[in-house]
Amino acid sequence: GAVVSQHPSWVICKSGTSVKIECRSLDFQATTMFWYRQFPKQSLMLMATSNEGSKATYEQGVEKDKFLINHASLTLSTLTVTSAHPEDSSFYICSARANGQGEQYFGPGTRLTVT
Amino acid sequence: AQSVAQPEDQVNVAEGNPLTVKCTYSVSGNPYLFWYVQYPNRGLQFLLKYITGDNLVKGSYGFEAEFNKSQTSFHLKKPSALVSDSALYFCAVRDFRDDKIIFGKGTRLHILP
């Protein structure tokens, strides 16, 4: 099946710094990628949807200047958490979809801890 | 807007017994329906989907789900539970006109040996 990777799998950063998370589709071209955030024992909350070469569409309540998303190629999307704060600590999961009707394939997630 | 409800936070089943994890949905158009499983500190693994066709959908690891349009349900089932099935299960729905999948809050499945 299709494989999506994320890097890093976990990261610890200091408050005020920025951190970049990569999401790659390894064996297919992803026209659309999604970024989710998951708090402990809670469901996945969609943060934004990005199409290759276009600006990301952010969900209501998600600060686009804080969570920068770039989808520069059909196999790579990045999420940059700028000026991170402890409340940004969470599990971030990306997913990728090859075409409009296909299922989404999920990455293994990145656990971000901001100290 | 579409929504998904998983009424049970947790389901306990003895190993070898059949299991059911419930899901109901609400969409304005025809739904795409999905089940995913998540193991601790891991991403989501796709189990099965319904887009069109037979109401009974078979998926990975012996799981199946039945689409019931009149009851707007898509319950996940397995005839004989394994301890290794213990995990967090998410039902998800996508309106075929929309680009995004909305997840239920998840149901934690405990299979008791």
Side-chain angles (χ1 to χ4, degrees):
Chain A
V3 178
V4 175
S5 70
Q6 279 184 243
H7 178 79
S9 55
W10 60 272
V11 58
I12 301 173
C13 70
K14 292 186 177 181
S15 186
T17 62
S18 296
V19 61
K20 179 184 287 187
I21 302 170
E22 292 185 350
C23 176
R24 294 181 183 272
S25 57
L26 298 185
D27 50 2
F28 68 101
Q29 293 186 322
T31 55
T32 307
M33 286 187 169
F34 305 83
W35 286 96
Y36 294 84
R37 183 174 179 176
Q38 185 180 29
F39 291 101
K41 298 184 179 180
Q42 293 190 28
S43 188
L44 281 73
M45 300 295 295
L46 180 65
M47 298 175 67
T49 302
S50 72
N51 292 295
E52 185 265 339
S54 303
K55 287 185 177 180
T57 302
Y58 290 81
E59 294 299 302
Q60 191 173 8
V62 177
E63 299 175 62
K64 61 180 180 180
D65 294 329
K66 181 171 184 60
F67 298 100
L68 301 179
I69 292 172
N70 183 278
H71 191 167
S73 77
L74 286 172
T75 59
L76 173 65
S77 176
T78 60
L79 167 67
T80 301
V81 182
T82 63
S83 186
H85 290 284
E87 57 265 31
D88 298 325
S89 299
S90 192
F91 195 52
Y92 292 88
I93 302 174
C94 75
S95 70
R97 190 177 69 206
N99 56 56
Q101 288 193 353
E103 64 263 26
Q104 292 180 211
Y105 297 95
F106 285 80
T110 296
R111 183 160 301 282
L112 169 64
T113 301
V114 184
T115 61
Chain B
Q2 62 263 43
S3 65
V4 180
Q6 292 181 244
E8 303 152 318
D9 291 335
Q10 182 170 309
V11 171
N12 297 322
V13 177
E15 185 177 26
N17 284 1
L19 68 87
T20 298
V21 183
K22 295 179 180 178
C23 171
T24 58
Y25 66 90
S26 174
V27 295
S28 54
N30 292 325
Y32 293 171
L33 295 158
F34 306 85
W35 275 101
Y36 290 88
V37 60
Q38 184 181 35
Y39 296 96
N41 294 311
R42 301 287 297 275
L44 271 66
Q45 295 180 30
F46 170 78
L47 281 179
L48 51 81
K49 67 178 177 182
Y50 171 84
I51 294 179
T52 187
D54 290 340
N55 290 341
L56 184 63
V57 178
K58 294 188 182 297
S60 306
Y61 313 119
F63 284 94
E64 58 188 29
E66 185 166 13
F67 170 64
N68 188 316
K69 188 173 183 178
S70 62
Q71 297 185 3
T72 61
S73 66
F74 190 58
H75 301 331
L76 181 70
K77 298 182 180 183
K78 187 173 182 180
S80 179
L82 300 173
V83 173
S84 58
D85 293 330
S86 299
L88 185 58
Y89 290 80
F90 290 99
C91 181
V93 66
R94 176 186 168 200
D95 188 321
F96 82 102
R97 298 171 297 181
D98 200 337
D99 201 25
K100 52 192 180 184
I101 290 179
I102 302 300
F103 286 84
K105 63 180 175 65
T107 298
R108 189 163 298 280
L109 179 62
H110 285 287
I111 307 302
L112 309 172

